[in-house]
Amino acid sequence: MWRNCVRLARRGLGRGAVLCPDPTVSHCGVVRGLSPAAPCSSLWNSVTWFSQARQSKDYALPNSSWSQGMMDLYSRFLEMCKDGTWKRIPSYDNSIDHTPESLKLTSEKERKETRLFPRNMDTEGVGFEYAMFLNPSEKRMVCLFQPGPYLEGPSGFAHGGSTATIIDSTIGGCAIFVAGRVMTANLSINYRNPIPLGSVVLVDSKVDQVEGRKVFLSCQVRSIDGQTLHAEATALFIQLDSTKSLQQQMSCQ
Amino acid sequence: MWRNCVRLARRGLGRGAVLCPDPTVSHCGVVRGLSPAAPCSSLWNSVTWFSQARQSKDYALPNSSWSQGMMDLYSRFLEMCKDGTWKRIPSYDNSIDHTPESLKLTSEKERKETRLFPRNMDTEGVGFEYAMFLNPSEKRMVCLFQPGPYLEGPSGFAHGGSTATIIDSTIGGCAIFVAGRVMTANLSINYRNPIPLGSVVLVDSKVDQVEGRKVFLSCQVRSIDGQTLHAEATALFIQLDSTKSLQQQMSCQ
């Protein structure tokens, strides 16, 4: 799958995306073990719910801090959205607006004074600049990520925790689209090469397997030219009961 | 080890800490495979360097956002510092002040407009509130962590990426004290129970083994009463050549 993704970045993304279904993911089988609450057909509805969220600021749109590399990659993915194969995913500064309406609990619908972790800085460019695109038929979510100077770990490079955060967010978004309400159960990351602050990387995640309520995913983080592998990750997410709060389900794992 | 830590939290920490050396960690063997750049004896010097860093704000001190539970735990650890068994670790908002003088590269010594990821919010209480304590003889670092409302993932709970961040920071600090300049190579986290925003947890990390330049560590995140296991993690850090930049060492793994 990754070779195809690199080809996308190199050749304009459109053609490669259409031609590279991931043979490890069955379009129907991927949700076979899941409850009726998250059928394949709900994916597009979920996307629509995301788009129809109330008038919150969408942070996944270009701003003046985006580098030319980030803009070029964003434009290429937008181009690929035109035939409906890919879908741009809006991004808000709170969890509620990230939750499709059908999955919200009554108790969660009120606005709280909380902020979604990767969207907690208002100054453009200093923190997480990112935009995600979903390919529902491939059960794949990619994230264009430009780490700002306030994400530092080793001098000049992104903190390992910030890399973990963008991976968890991307791979988690992918899991939500196949299984609805989910929670991270395991995240294992191999850090291959540090990510320079201000650079642009592509986070590419996909569903590998579904077993009952377990969703197994994998992810690679590469430079936009595909030449540098920054990180590889695997993850296990657990599908939750959409009628119960997280606290009520603490013993579910 | 964890049982001892829970006992610390329950009984006032001081006595338990002295009585519970971790039998899996050899006080001398732990650095046997490492280069002379990081001998056991440098641990205390490193602590001193941390403390003598230039007049940056130390964020690891109580502020009005700290809950009573956070304050109580902090006081207990301070008490344990009196006989020198434990050492409070200051915390700055940039990487340079976190690097012992002996490990700094010439190119890194100038102040940059970057911010250490877990210290990038100026408003007290909204982000990562934490304080770390080192037990050099046990090669163990603990972190008292109170996640603020801007670290949200699932509604009302800390984002998995923020949990990964505080684990990476704590476990990484532990690795630095035994091996000097290091980089995360692998981080694997099992998320057991979500961490409620505003609660206080204890992140307890220790060195398990050292093989050449590889430092293996493990970590548990628990509620301060020890009753709830929020997360468990293992990590591999690689000791770097302190004379070369990260970029120069990209092929070292």
Side-chain angles (χ1 to χ4, degrees):
Chain A
M1 184 199 74
W2 180 250
R3 283 196 302 277
N4 287 319
C5 188
V6 172
R7 198 170 58 203
L8 297 185
R10 286 186 178 153
R11 300 187 184 177
L13 299 163
R15 188 178 54 185
V18 177
L19 295 176
C20 63
D22 186 338
T24 65
V25 178
S26 157
H27 293 187
C28 293
V30 71
V31 293
R32 217 165 259 160
L34 299 176
S35 81
C40 266
S41 60
S42 77
L43 286 173
W44 282 111
N45 291 334
S46 297
V47 172
T48 307
W49 285 321
F50 268 43
S51 302
Q52 290 174 343
R54 57 191 182 285
Q55 296 168 2
S56 302
K57 174 182 175 181
D58 179 0
Y59 287 77
L61 293 170
N63 64 52
S64 61
S65 78
W66 285 23
S67 68
Q68 192 59 49
M70 182 82 165
M71 282 301 303
D72 290 347
L73 197 54
Y74 181 80
S75 297
R76 289 176 192 171
F77 268 97
L78 272 192
E79 191 66 27
M80 292 165 55
C81 289
K82 288 183 178 173
D83 69 359
T85 308
W86 289 79
K87 183 80 181 176
R88 191 186 76 83
I89 305 298
S91 177
Y92 310 107
D93 66 4
N94 64 83
S95 299
I96 302 302
D97 285 347
H98 272 266
T99 308
E101 287 298 330
S102 63
L103 299 179
K104 284 180 185 169
L105 303 178
T106 306
S107 60
E108 294 174 346
K109 291 188 179 178
E110 292 173 17
R111 174 80 68 176
K112 294 175 184 170
E113 291 308 308
T114 55
R115 293 282 289 271
L116 187 71
F117 180 42
R119 292 298 188 197
N120 62 20
M121 279 174 273
D122 289 320
T123 306
E124 292 174 347
V126 300
F128 291 88
E129 291 293 340
Y130 66 94
M132 293 189 193
F133 291 84
L134 173 74
N135 185 321
S137 67
E138 295 181 4
K139 276 68 183 173
R140 178 177 167 202
M141 183 87 88
V142 301
C143 174
L144 330 181
F145 173 43
Q146 178 185 296
Y150 280 21
L151 304 191
E152 192 175 52
S155 183
F157 296 92
H159 192 287
S162 72
T163 304
T165 298
I166 203 69
I167 289 174
D168 186 45
S169 297
T170 307
I171 218 165
C174 197
I176 286 171
F177 275 97
V178 300
R181 197 176 180 86
V182 295
M183 196 168 72
T184 320
N186 175 266
L187 181 62
S188 179
I189 302 172
N190 286 317
Y191 294 86
R192 301 298 187 190
N193 286 290
I195 302 174
L197 296 174
S199 68
V200 180
V201 297
L202 195 63
V203 185
D204 192 334
S205 70
K206 64 179 178 65
V207 173
D208 290 326
Q209 199 174 347
V210 177
E211 293 176 6
R213 293 164 55 217
K214 297 179 180 176
V215 184
F216 296 89
L217 305 101
S218 59
C219 180
Q220 286 195 326
V221 182
R222 283 194 182 252
S223 55
I224 50 176
D225 66 2
Q227 296 300 304
T228 304
L229 176 63
H230 292 289
E232 291 176 295
T234 58
L236 167 62
F237 280 73
I238 304 291
Q239 186 186 40
L240 301 178
D241 183 337
S242 63
T243 64
K244 295 178 182 172
S245 70
L246 274 184
Q247 211 119 31
Q248 289 173 312
Q249 300 185 67
M250 279 188 168
S251 61
C252 72
Q253 292 179 56
Chain B
M1 185 197 74
W2 181 250
R3 282 196 303 277
N4 287 321
C5 188
V6 172
R7 199 170 56 202
L8 297 186
R10 284 184 179 154
R11 297 186 185 179
L13 300 162
R15 188 178 54 183
V18 177
L19 294 175
C20 63
D22 186 338
T24 66
V25 177
S26 157
H27 293 187
C28 294
V30 71
V31 293
R32 215 165 259 161
L34 298 177
S35 79
C40 266
S41 60
S42 77
L43 286 173
W44 283 111
N45 291 334
S46 297
V47 171
T48 307
W49 284 322
F50 270 40
S51 302
Q52 290 174 344
R54 58 188 181 287
Q55 296 169 3
S56 302
K57 175 181 174 181
D58 180 0
Y59 286 78
L61 293 170
N63 64 52
S64 61
S65 79
W66 284 23
S67 68
Q68 191 59 49
M70 183 81 166
M71 283 301 302
D72 290 347
L73 196 54
Y74 180 80
S75 299
R76 289 175 191 172
F77 268 98
L78 270 192
E79 190 66 29
M80 291 165 55
C81 290
K82 288 182 177 172
D83 69 358
T85 307
W86 289 79
K87 182 82 181 175
R88 192 186 75 84
I89 304 298
S91 177
Y92 310 108
D93 65 5
N94 64 82
S95 298
I96 301 301
D97 285 347
H98 273 267
T99 309
E101 288 297 332
S102 64
L103 299 180
K104 282 180 186 169
L105 303 177
T106 306
S107 61
E108 293 174 346
K109 291 187 178 178
E110 293 174 17
R111 174 80 68 178
K112 295 175 184 170
E113 292 306 309
T114 55
R115 293 283 289 272
L116 188 70
F117 180 43
R119 293 298 188 197
N120 62 19
M121 279 174 274
D122 289 318
T123 305
E124 292 174 347
V126 300
F128 291 88
E129 291 294 339
Y130 67 93
M132 293 189 193
F133 291 85
L134 173 75
N135 185 321
S137 68
E138 295 182 4
K139 276 67 183 174
R140 178 177 165 202
M141 183 85 89
V142 300
C143 174
L144 331 181
F145 173 44
Q146 178 185 295
Y150 281 20
L151 305 190
E152 190 173 55
S155 184
F157 296 92
H159 192 286
S162 72
T163 305
T165 298
I166 202 69
I167 289 175
D168 186 45
S169 297
T170 307
I171 219 166
C174 197
I176 286 171
F177 274 97
V178 299
R181 197 177 181 84
V182 295
M183 195 169 73
T184 321
N186 176 265
L187 181 62
S188 180
I189 302 172
N190 286 318
Y191 294 87
R192 301 298 188 191
N193 285 290
I195 302 175
L197 295 175
S199 68
V200 180
V201 297
L202 194 62
V203 185
D204 192 334
S205 70
K206 66 178 176 68
V207 172
D208 290 325
Q209 198 175 347
V210 176
E211 293 176 6
R213 295 163 54 217
K214 297 179 180 176
V215 185
F216 298 88
L217 304 103
S218 59
C219 181
Q220 286 195 325
V221 182
R222 283 193 184 255
S223 56
I224 51 177
D225 66 2
Q227 295 301 305
T228 304
L229 175 63
H230 291 290
E232 290 177 297
T234 58
L236 167 62
F237 280 73
I238 304 291
Q239 187 187 39
L240 301 179
D241 183 339
S242 63
T243 64
K244 295 178 183 173
S245 70
L246 273 184
Q247 210 120 30
Q248 289 172 312
Q249 302 184 70
M250 278 187 169
S251 61
C252 72
Q253 293 178 57

